Amino acid sequence: MLSEKWKCFCCPPIVKPPRRGVIVPMDSTRPEHERQIQTQAHQLLAQTQTSPVKPKRKKSDLTLAAVVIIQTWFRRRRALYEMRRKTAWTIYQNIEYAGEQDQLKLYNFFLELMQAVTKNPHDAQVVAKVLRRNSSLTGLVEEIETENLAAAEVISVEPSYRGPHIHTPIHKGHFEALIIAFQRGETLHAHYVFLILQELRNILKRLPNINIVSTHQSKCVTVVGDLHGSFADLMVIFHKNGLPSNENPYIFNGDIVDRGFQSIEVFLLISVAFIVYPNNVYLNRGNHEDHVLNLRYGFMKEIIYKYKSNATRLLRLMENIYSWLPIASLIDDHIFVTHGGISDITDIKKINKIKRHKYVSVLSPSFIIPPNEDQFQISSIPNDILLEWRQILDLLWSDPKQTDGCEPNTYRGGGCYWGPDVTQQVLQKHNWSLLIRSHECKEEGFGYSHDKKVLTIFSASNYYAAGSNRGAYVKVMTNQPLVIVQFMSTRTSQRTLTLWERVSYVEDQAIKNLAEKFTANKSRLMHEFQLFDVQNTGRISVNDWCDVVTRVLDLQLPWRTLKSRLVDTDMNGNVVYESTFRSRELQFTSSVSTNVRRESLCQAIYRNKDLLETVFRAIDKDNSGVISMQEFTEVCTFLGKHNGSTLDEKQIMDLAASIDLNKNGVIDFNEFLEAFRIVDTGDRL
Amino acid sequence: MATIDEETNIAGEAGPAAPRTTLRDPVRESEERANQARLKRLTEAFTIFDQEANNTIPSTELGTVVRSLGLVPTEGELQDVLSEMSDDSNPESIHLDRFLSVMNVLLKDRRYQGEPESKILRAFQVLDPDNNGFISEEELRNYLCKEGEPFNDEEFQDFMTIALDDESGGVCTYKEFIQNLVVEDND
């Protein structure tokens, strides 16, 4: 039934195979002998005209030498590709981190503005609108409200609906029916989605903050890491490891949604497994189980697209469900499983006391940061509340680091970087032997840190691009060593991709991303290039090119290694800098005349597309895709101030008018954003 | 030959101390520029594998780094390079400083340049004594996976993907293949 194929890497070697000595058919493999072979090779294949008498060589020596030459050259070719693959990986990681930092900066900017109340009341209004999206419902009011939200009866199922029908009590048959339907690409009817989520919520509410997991009955439990909406990977895991059941328990360690295109399907499937086997399927909350992140990282978009008029209600219900997800699991009292990690203050007793469901968003819990108070000061939050917040934040957002200590995680904007000493301390305090976490993409799908006391497990293969990384899951078995299983879901081929194929897929996309960044920053880059090109030759040194690009893009990448794939160089090895933008152009779909004045504005909008989209969505309370022109210009100008771009109010209004999207004082921001695209013009310089 | 103080050069821009004389020596200047450029290039390649950002790479990655910088050592020769670069106290990883100093010598002495194309052709001809112009997959498997410095399964699979001739199916017409084998990274 499942069509995905993969290469099985059960219990893979963590290190590459050790170097082999030269295998000589007859003699020993002493090093001096190896070198003798080398020189023999040179001699044998040398065109020796000088020595008239060639010594007789055994045929096997000759063969050996020939074989080594071929092997050596092949390994060199392979290494070039390995290098390219690793370089592409570096690009993805850097861009991802840069994006997260951006998000963080934006968020901090909002928070700072909340405090600077007297500076500009106008700004405060915009910010307030954005943050007011967070809802804080308490107690009974919440129950009634959520009951209304979750009510499935309100939505009727049309006779024309051909998908699966789910009824209570939900059982294994429903689970299997959903698998088949989702494999066919079907969307479950909203009525049944609400039914499932209502059931899910009812069970989740009864759970403690930390799942207590025991392998006593089943002898094993499988831990799955980030899935990020990858239905294909979930299928591979179920195929290799079996469906969840009372004999085959699973722990899903968060980040089920966002980024991938089937987040809701993956979430529903896991939810149904949980409903059917509530004592053997465990859910941990991840940092992406948070509406603040869903705004930007795709889940919200997916829901709006798939569920249209029911989207708003569905999203509000998801917000509530996230808050009821447990935040960690403990296996057999000695293996702690949580999405992000730990920090120097991690204390299970304190965690157990928290009313986890106050934290509708973990990144920005609204009961801490009131959404509609202008007079708010972050320094006014009492210490014990801050510490409690940190307990949860650190569990979901932290990353391990190599050196000792514990510092705030500036990449992510939440949680800590924690060192081996903290691992030691926390494990010892609680009598744990191992920490299993996820949160970070690993090339091999898994990775150990801190002297093997921390295991990262990441289950979304091809996360950055096809071929970029493997996924993995881990089987924990009573009194046995861990078994880590790797996989890579491939849609296209029936066999594993060769190195050449993986590299070209991965690299293509990475290079495209970079090329787009160049085009989006063209004005600034050209300006800087020309500063170095006093004599107007159109060329600058490699050094200068690397300098400029690093500075303007603010990306620390191996530019020298990448250069050959990005730009043209002349005979002297200097960079023809115009080729940085070869065959790519920032274009607009409608009849907009893109004169030079507007060029930098358009580039600025393109660069900030993600941020703009995030803020637009936040303002768009009813998820209609439309906001007022007033709000629209506010946001653009506001963001302009945030990162110093030239988003002048009048220019934007002109632009919007010329794109003819201003219809009666409202603007469809999706259309607006879609209007800016970088296209391949197909011509080379 | 200019002496390079690696310690300062790793940081980037700082070069060797400028000569005190006010006369500019263009030859020496361009040599220094070339040295600096090379250092940056080497450091960059090294850093790509420096996961922990602490100026070390795992020993297992050395082969890839060294080969991507233009050298063509055999596995045995690579072992030699590794022992020159690695530290007894920490054999699992290689530090940037040792890497740079050894690489500089290797590059200057033009070591491990690999056999020229003509000799690679000869090598194939040795394996093709009947002079057919091609070698079968079976024979290649026997040679490459069992003799010399044998390929593992993954390496052999990748080899066959590029070695096999689409048209004649199942054999490697080595004369054309050699072009593909010695592909350069246009740097």
Side-chain angles (χ1 to χ4, degrees):
Chain A
M1 143 170 129
L2 294 164
S3 57
E4 319 290 23
K5 291 287 193 274
W6 59 86
K7 184 170 173 186
C8 202
F9 287 109
C10 293
C11 300
I14 295 172
V15 292
K16 287 199 184 143
R19 282 198 179 71
R20 293 162 296 276
V22 175
I23 294 180
V24 180
M26 292 156 294
D27 301 314
S28 64
T29 53
R30 295 185 329 266
E32 315 95 79
H33 191 82
E34 280 174 35
R35 253 171 246 138
Q36 277 177 28
I37 302 292
Q38 262 36 302
T39 40
Q40 277 175 9
H42 291 279
Q43 288 166 3
L44 283 167
L45 300 175
Q47 281 172 322
T48 46
Q49 278 139 356
T50 47
S51 84
V53 178
K54 279 194 204 153
K56 268 249 161 159
R57 303 286 173 199
K58 292 188 191 152
K59 180 172 187 279
S60 54
D61 282 350
L62 191 59
T63 310
L64 171 64
V67 168
V68 170
I69 288 179
I70 297 170
Q71 288 164 333
T72 303
W73 270 100
F74 177 73
R75 288 195 165 104
R76 192 237 170 201
R77 188 189 199 275
R78 209 156 178 279
L80 290 180
Y81 274 73
E82 271 292 331
M83 183 55 110
R84 281 167 61 176
R85 188 186 62 80
K86 192 72 183 186
T87 309
W89 178 263
T90 310
I91 296 175
Y92 288 121
Q93 294 233 288
N94 269 284
I95 293 183
E96 180 172 35
Y97 287 152
E100 283 180 359
Q101 278 189 300
D102 234 10
Q103 176 84 338
L104 158 69
K105 279 189 217 149
L106 178 67
Y107 218 82
N108 285 339
F109 191 61
F110 278 138
L111 290 182
E112 278 162 28
L113 272 193
M114 286 296 265
Q115 293 163 55
V117 71
T118 51
K119 271 195 190 156
N120 191 340
H122 203 232
D123 284 348
Q125 273 177 39
V126 178
V127 178
K129 276 188 210 168
V130 175
L131 288 184
R132 205 174 288 145
R133 183 176 193 94
N134 303 349
S135 58
S136 65
L137 306 169
T138 51
L140 194 57
V141 177
E142 187 226 331
E143 268 313 303
I144 298 173
E145 276 257 4
T146 330
E147 285 292 314
N148 290 339
L149 278 180
E153 310 80 60
V154 185
I155 309 169
S156 53
V157 185
E158 325 71 56
S160 55
Y161 172 70
R162 289 268 161 269
H165 300 266
I166 315 285
H167 306 281
T168 48
I170 299 178
H171 60 72
K172 187 173 155 197
H174 295 127
F175 183 63
E176 288 166 354
L178 283 177
I179 291 185
I180 296 175
F182 292 155
Q183 278 189 309
R184 290 207 283 251
E186 290 168 18
T187 302
L188 184 64
H189 196 284
H191 177 99
Y192 301 124
V193 176
F194 280 104
L195 194 86
I196 292 173
L197 292 182
Q198 194 169 32
E199 282 295 303
L200 174 68
R201 186 174 171 273
N202 287 338
I203 306 178
L204 285 178
K205 285 183 69 173
R206 300 184 228 133
L207 294 181
N209 291 342
I210 299 182
N211 294 311
I212 303 300
V213 183
S214 161
T215 61
H216 180 70
Q217 290 275 55
S218 55
K219 301 292 173 252
C220 70
V221 63
T222 304
V223 181
V224 174
D226 292 36
L227 284 167
H228 280 301
S230 170
F231 185 72
D233 285 310
L234 186 60
M235 287 298 101
V236 171
I237 295 172
F238 284 164
H239 196 118
K240 288 172 85 73
N241 197 52
L243 295 180
S245 70
N246 286 326
E247 291 74 38
N248 193 14
Y250 274 83
I251 300 176
F252 290 96
N253 201 15
D255 275 15
I256 295 171
V257 301
D258 268 341
R259 297 192 195 270
F261 305 119
Q262 290 174 287
S263 294
I264 187 63
E265 283 78 25
V266 174
F267 190 84
L268 287 172
L269 209 50
I270 292 175
S271 301
V272 171
F274 173 77
I275 293 168
V276 177
Y277 302 106
N279 297 320
N280 285 291
V281 174
Y282 303 92
L283 307 179
N284 288 348
R285 187 176 186 178
N287 65 309
H288 276 265
E289 272 76 49
D290 189 324
H291 67 265
V292 173
L293 273 87
N294 296 161
L295 263 177
R296 178 175 175 149
Y297 288 103
F299 186 48
M300 183 175 290
K301 213 169 171 174
E302 183 186 324
I303 296 291
I304 293 174
Y305 178 74
K306 288 177 178 165
Y307 289 99
K308 306 188 178 29
S309 55
N310 290 306
T312 308
R313 218 162 50 99
L314 186 45
L315 288 167
R316 292 285 304 269
L317 182 56
M318 287 300 295
E319 272 179 45
N320 185 275
I321 285 177
Y322 290 154
S323 69
W324 283 111
L325 288 168
I327 51 186
S329 299
L330 185 60
I331 306 174
D332 291 339
D333 256 332
H334 73 101
I335 300 181
F336 191 62
V337 185
T338 190
H339 178 74
I342 54 177
S343 73
D344 51 350
I345 61 165
T346 298
D347 185 335
I348 212 173
K349 291 203 202 82
K350 300 206 170 98
I351 294 170
N352 279 326
K353 292 208 187 97
I354 300 176
K355 289 195 169 58
R356 73 176 182 273
H357 122 84
K358 292 188 307 193
Y359 293 86
V360 175
S361 159
V362 171
L363 190 62
S364 133
S366 54
F367 73 95
I368 292 183
I369 304 170
N372 51 8
E373 285 312 308
D374 305 330
Q375 318 285 332
F376 179 69
Q377 295 286 336
I378 226 173
S379 51
S380 68
I381 305 176
N383 213 34
D384 53 339
I385 294 191
L386 270 178
L387 278 175
E388 186 191 87
W389 179 18
R390 257 198 75 191
Q391 285 285 350
I392 296 198
L393 193 62
D394 290 350
L395 285 184
L396 266 53
W397 280 83
S398 300
D399 289 312
K401 67 180 173 97
Q402 298 302 321
T403 50
D404 283 348
C406 190
E407 16 178 276
N409 190 326
T410 42
Y411 268 153
R412 311 267 197 179
C416 297
Y417 287 122
W418 87 89
D421 56 336
V422 177
T423 297
Q424 173 83 338
Q425 168 212 327
V426 172
L427 287 186
Q428 207 161 40
K429 174 155 88 179
H430 299 98
N431 227 343
W432 295 334
S433 64
L434 173 69
L435 168 64
I436 299 180
R437 44 91 64 174
S438 304
H439 199 39
E440 277 181 303
C441 182
K442 295 283 180 189
E443 278 181 86
E444 294 298 320
F446 75 98
Y448 278 106
S449 323
H450 298 182
D451 201 22
K452 290 216 164 174
K453 298 217 186 74
V454 177
L455 170 63
T456 302
I457 209 89
F458 193 86
S459 305
S461 66
N462 308 309
Y463 181 61
Y464 292 124
S468 66
N469 64 291
R470 298 194 166 111
Y473 59 86
V474 58
K475 287 188 86 81
V476 178
M477 294 174 294
T478 341
N479 294 329
Q480 281 182 51
L482 298 178
V483 172
I484 297 174
V485 180
Q486 294 174 300
F487 55 86
M488 188 186 263
S489 62
T490 54
R491 291 206 162 286
T492 48
S493 64
Q494 296 298 322
R495 52 166 180 79
T496 27
L497 299 173
T498 58
L499 176 63
W500 326 118
E501 286 161 326
R502 272 187 288 143
V503 170
S504 67
Y505 290 150
V506 171
E507 207 184 38
D508 262 355
Q509 195 55 47
I511 300 291
K512 258 195 204 139
N513 288 346
L514 285 184
E516 275 184 21
K517 284 205 182 297
F518 285 150
T519 308
N521 284 281
K522 185 169 174 179
S523 309
R524 302 204 302 204
L525 283 169
M526 280 303 282
H527 175 75
E528 297 284 326
F529 288 151
Q530 275 152 358
L531 286 180
F532 281 106
D533 182 20
V534 201
Q535 291 168 338
N536 227 359
T537 58
R539 291 146 171 72
I540 52 176
S541 74
V542 172
N543 237 14
D544 293 335
W545 183 84
C546 291
D547 253 350
V548 172
V549 161
T550 309
R551 237 178 325 115
V552 174
L553 259 51
D554 197 15
L555 281 176
Q556 291 292 338
L557 288 177
W559 295 111
R560 277 172 189 78
T561 317
L562 289 167
K563 162 177 71 80
S564 59
R565 259 167 279 291
L566 293 170
V567 287
D568 297 330
T569 43
D570 66 10
M571 291 183 309
N572 300 321
N574 291 320
V575 175
V576 181
Y577 53 83
E578 264 204 326
S579 64
T580 314
F581 315 103
R582 60 181 164 196
S583 81
R584 260 168 223 285
E585 224 172 71
L586 185 51
Q587 283 188 354
F588 314 97
T589 50
S590 351
S591 53
V592 179
S593 60
T594 56
N595 52 49
V596 182
R597 257 186 312 123
R598 281 221 187 103
E599 212 178 294
S600 50
L601 167 65
C602 295
Q603 285 172 24
I605 292 182
Y606 186 85
R607 274 200 303 278
N608 290 296
K609 256 175 108 162
D610 281 346
L611 290 184
L612 283 172
E613 186 174 353
T614 306
V615 182
F616 287 151
R617 280 198 199 290
I619 289 186
D620 178 24
K621 300 289 167 239
D622 55 7
N623 297 317
S624 57
V626 158
I627 56 177
S628 75
M629 266 319 282
Q630 169 87 345
E631 285 169 327
F632 172 76
T633 29
E634 272 171 5
V635 174
C636 290
T637 326
F638 174 80
L639 275 177
K641 284 189 217 161
H642 156 58
N643 55 12
S645 305
T646 52
L647 291 178
D648 173 79
E649 190 170 322
K650 175 147 193 330
Q651 278 188 308
I652 292 169
M653 298 218 53
D654 277 350
L655 185 63
S658 68
I659 299 181
D660 192 30
L661 291 177
N662 181 358
K663 301 175 171 85
N664 307 319
V666 295
I667 184 165
D668 182 328
F669 60 79
N670 282 316
E671 253 190 88
F672 174 75
L673 291 172
E674 284 301 306
F676 294 83
R677 254 182 295 143
I678 289 187
V679 281
D680 198 329
T681 58
D683 45 47
R684 315 255 136 193
L685 283 172
Chain B
M1 196 162 84
T3 53
I4 295 178
D5 179 356
E6 270 104 32
E7 297 305 313
T8 49
N9 267 321
I10 287 163
E13 290 310 316
R20 291 193 182 276
T21 160
T22 50
L23 284 173
R24 290 178 56 188
D25 181 348
V27 171
R28 187 176 181 156
E29 266 187 23
S30 79
E31 213 177 277
E32 276 164 22
R33 268 201 299 273
N35 283 338
Q36 275 190 42
R38 180 170 60 221
L39 259 167
K40 283 198 181 150
R41 182 78 180 79
L42 291 177
T43 309
E44 208 184 65
F46 184 90
T47 309
I48 289 174
F49 284 93
D50 179 10
Q51 293 281 51
E52 305 168 14
N54 59 0
N55 281 341
T56 64
I57 60 171
S59 315
T60 45
E61 304 290 5
L62 182 65
T64 306
V65 179
V66 165
R67 286 173 170 134
S68 75
L69 287 166
L71 274 55
V72 194
T74 65
E75 293 286 286
E77 289 166 341
L78 196 55
Q79 204 57 36
D80 292 342
V81 177
L82 178 60
S83 31
E84 273 184 83
M85 285 184 184
S86 65
D87 192 356
D88 293 325
S89 61
N90 196 3
E92 302 289 300
S93 59
I94 297 173
H95 195 275
L96 178 63
D97 300 342
R98 289 288 271 272
F99 171 78
L100 288 177
S101 55
V102 174
M103 278 304 291
N104 265 317
V105 172
L106 295 180
L107 288 172
K108 285 203 172 130
D109 295 352
R110 303 189 63 84
R111 300 281 302 281
Y112 308 132
Q113 295 291 291
E115 305 299 331
E117 272 181 52
S118 53
K119 290 183 187 156
I120 307 176
L121 181 59
R122 288 277 179 72
F124 276 106
Q125 284 163 345
V126 163
L127 303 185
D128 175 27
D130 300 335
N131 216 1
N132 294 319
F134 59 80
I135 308 179
S136 73
E137 177 175 346
E138 196 53 45
E139 289 174 280
L140 282 170
R141 189 193 306 275
N142 282 331
Y143 285 128
L144 300 174
C145 295
K146 297 194 182 130
E147 298 197 34
E149 298 175 324
F151 283 160
N152 60 31
D153 290 336
E154 225 176 306
E155 285 171 317
F156 186 67
Q157 194 194 350
D158 290 340
F159 181 88
M160 289 324 292
T161 320
I162 51 171
L164 288 186
D165 199 344
D166 295 325
E167 288 137 22
S168 49
V171 296
C172 168
T173 25
Y174 47 82
K175 212 161 179 184
E176 285 139 33
F177 175 50
I178 292 175
Q179 307 303 326
N180 204 346
L181 196 56
V182 299
V183 65
E184 279 297 327
D185 218 17
N186 46 333
D187 199 0

